Amino acid sequence: MVARLQQCLVLGGLLVAIAWASIWWSRSPLVAVLSLIALTCTHTTVLAIEFVASYRINGRDPLARARVPQCIRAWLAESWLAPRVFCWYQPFHSRAVPDHLPANGRRGVVLVHGFLCNRGFWSPWLRELRADDRAFVAVDLEPVFGSIDHYAQTIDDAILRVTAATSLPPMLICHSMGGLAARAWLRDADPTRVHRIVTIGTPHRGTWLARFGRTVNGRQMRVGGDWMQKIEGERASTRQVSFTCWYSNCDNIVFPTSNATLPGADNRLADGRAHVEMAFDSRLRRETLALLAR
């Protein structure tokens, strides 16, 4: 569903841009060009607002706030990367690398994306895992705007598939809301069925931005909300599994910064990286995949 939705948005946006430019070109080429520039800069403006909010809110967080130059660099990086993810990988490339389940006795991976994403988000990871002949399943969380609790069965099915192929508990790698979905799965699951859970920019204690959420899963990520309080009360389940939590002081979606960490977990700073950018950072990917050998 996410792929179709984003395909419609991308193609619809292109048609609108072409139509607008065609109408105005004969009247005023300058207006046509400036309009196209303004259209392409819309997402950078939204990102800038997010980074400003993150910087201000993080001033009250116990973890050190990023420096302004770091935030600017992260904003530019996210402005470049986000269109590739949301306008290409996810809408048009989500099935380019299918799930891979070799029976080679090596530990496999289950990849769980975040809000408004699909398995295409993991494209660089999937290519690397496939080249290494490592078993993996990348899930699509449906319904897109449903309860996070509903994603537990999808994760369970993926774990079963990887385990059946490798005879080993897989490692879960989760981005953003995907980490909360993994915790929802863990609530009623046997923790020995997974080797480790790695979260990347997951709002373990909610995120300030979720106050603007209107979908079911968006509201569930509100700081201090009913769903977050419930899963916080069930934190004992997280102590039964090894967690590695990547967090960033420049996360433009999940803030305050400390909300992406868990007490007692292997919390690792992706210094100066934006929310989507974290999952595309080569060092983060390398260190995460190295955990398969532990």
Side-chain angles (χ1 to χ4, degrees):
M1 179 178 175
V2 166
R4 290 193 296 273
L5 174 63
Q6 292 178 350
Q7 285 170 7
C8 291
L9 290 174
V10 171
L11 296 176
L14 284 174
L15 289 174
V16 169
I18 292 171
W20 180 268
S22 299
I23 292 170
W24 277 97
W25 190 260
S26 58
R27 304 178 187 178
S28 173
L30 179 61
V31 171
V33 171
L34 291 177
S35 298
L36 290 176
I37 292 174
L39 180 64
T40 57
C41 289
T42 299
H43 84 283
T44 63
T45 302
V46 173
L47 288 172
I49 294 170
E50 292 173 353
F51 277 102
V52 170
S54 172
Y55 183 80
R56 290 178 62 87
I57 297 299
N58 280 334
R60 302 191 292 270
D61 194 63
L63 294 179
R65 181 166 63 176
R67 302 183 304 277
V68 171
Q70 283 184 299
C71 295
I72 294 173
R73 191 219 63 83
W75 169 61
L76 292 173
E78 198 81 340
S79 296
W80 172 255
L81 180 60
R84 287 167 53 197
V85 174
F86 295 101
C87 298
W88 176 244
Y89 285 146
Q90 293 187 169
F92 303 109
H93 211 250
S94 65
R95 298 294 168 186
V97 185
D99 295 337
H100 182 59
L101 294 169
N104 56 16
R106 303 173 69 206
R107 192 178 307 282
V109 176
V110 172
L111 300 108
V112 188
H113 63 76
F115 183 69
L116 270 182
C117 294
N118 64 18
R119 69 187 306 281
F121 178 87
W122 299 107
S123 291
W125 295 72
L126 304 187
R127 289 194 296 268
E128 183 167 338
L129 289 166
R130 183 66 180 83
D132 190 38
D133 199 29
R134 182 78 66 170
F136 66 84
V137 169
V139 303
D140 280 327
L141 299 180
E142 301 277 356
V144 176
F145 301 118
S147 170
I148 296 172
D149 296 312
H150 293 164
Y151 304 143
Q153 187 59 54
T154 299
I155 294 173
D156 194 77
D157 292 342
I159 291 171
L160 285 172
R161 291 178 63 199
V162 176
T163 303
T166 65
S167 300
L168 291 169
M171 182 167 75
L172 269 60
I173 303 176
C174 316
H175 181 252
S176 196
M177 183 192 72
L180 296 178
R183 289 178 63 185
W185 168 82
L186 188 59
R187 180 187 295 142
D188 299 314
D190 177 1
T192 63
R193 291 180 57 201
V194 292
H195 169 64
R196 177 183 293 268
I197 298 177
V198 179
T199 65
I200 304 169
T202 287
H204 287 294
R205 290 191 294 279
T207 174
W208 184 88
L209 274 185
R211 65 184 57 203
F212 303 109
R214 292 296 178 266
T215 63
V216 174
N217 44 10
R219 292 194 301 269
Q220 287 174 330
M221 290 185 280
R222 290 177 180 173
V223 177
D226 292 342
W227 195 87
M228 291 306 308
Q229 289 185 38
K230 181 181 178 183
I231 203 164
E232 276 291 289
E234 299 165 344
R235 193 188 290 169
S237 61
T238 65
R239 301 191 187 102
Q240 302 175 55
V241 176
S242 296
F243 267 81
T244 295
C245 302
W246 288 98
Y247 68 97
S248 174
N249 50 3
C250 282
D251 195 323
N252 53 301
I253 297 296
V254 176
F255 53 89
T257 299
S258 60
N259 283 18
T261 66
L262 278 175
D266 173 20
N267 295 305
R268 302 188 182 190
L269 173 64
D271 194 25
R273 296 296 182 263
H275 187 67
V276 170
E277 184 192 10
M278 272 192 283
F280 288 78
D281 182 78
S282 58
R283 180 184 70 87
L284 186 153
R285 183 165 68 248
R286 182 175 63 253
E287 292 186 15
T288 296
L289 294 180
L291 295 171
L292 286 164
R294 284 195 179 182

